[in-house]
Amino acid sequence: LADEESQRRKLADEQALAGELRVLTKTLSYARAEELQLLITKSALSQRGTVQVDPRTNTLIITDLADRLTTAENLIGALDRAQPQV
């Protein structure tokens, strides 16, 4: 039974990662793209997801599954804000 359960979990994981990859480009206004690259990769993307940075335009190019792109876009929206003036 344990072997059957592990096979079921493995199949569910493979099905979750089997979707079509999509691309999201997001130009940042306040944060630096290089600083957010690692954070987004670890926090929001699947194993198939990648993040590329265009430093000239401060743009993130994110490739991943559609639901993970939504999560990444929400995270970027939360982090790309102006720092409060004191």
Side-chain angles (χ1 to χ4, degrees):
L1 290 174
D3 185 43
E4 185 178 314
E5 180 63 29
S6 82
Q7 288 178 356
R8 236 184 269 151
R9 269 188 264 137
K10 184 178 177 183
L11 179 62
D13 290 343
E14 288 175 3
Q15 287 175 341
L17 294 174
E20 180 182 340
L21 293 179
R22 300 196 178 185
V23 176
L24 168 73
T25 58
K26 192 71 174 177
T27 302
L28 304 177
S29 299
Y30 302 103
R32 294 187 57 216
E34 296 88 5
E35 294 173 358
L36 291 185
Q37 180 180 14
L38 183 62
L39 182 64
I40 292 170
T41 302
K42 288 187 175 186
S43 301
L45 300 186
S46 69
Q47 297 170 348
R48 293 176 61 192
T50 61
V51 178
Q52 296 174 326
V53 174
D54 179 15
R56 184 180 61 83
T57 60
N58 200 36
T59 300
L60 292 169
I61 304 164
I62 306 168
T63 305
D64 205 350
L65 304 169
D67 62 327
R68 298 297 182 117
L69 287 179
T70 303
T71 304
E73 192 168 17
N74 292 339
L75 182 60
I76 291 169
L79 297 175
D80 188 30
R81 297 186 186 258
Q83 290 187 356
Q85 299 284 327
V86 178

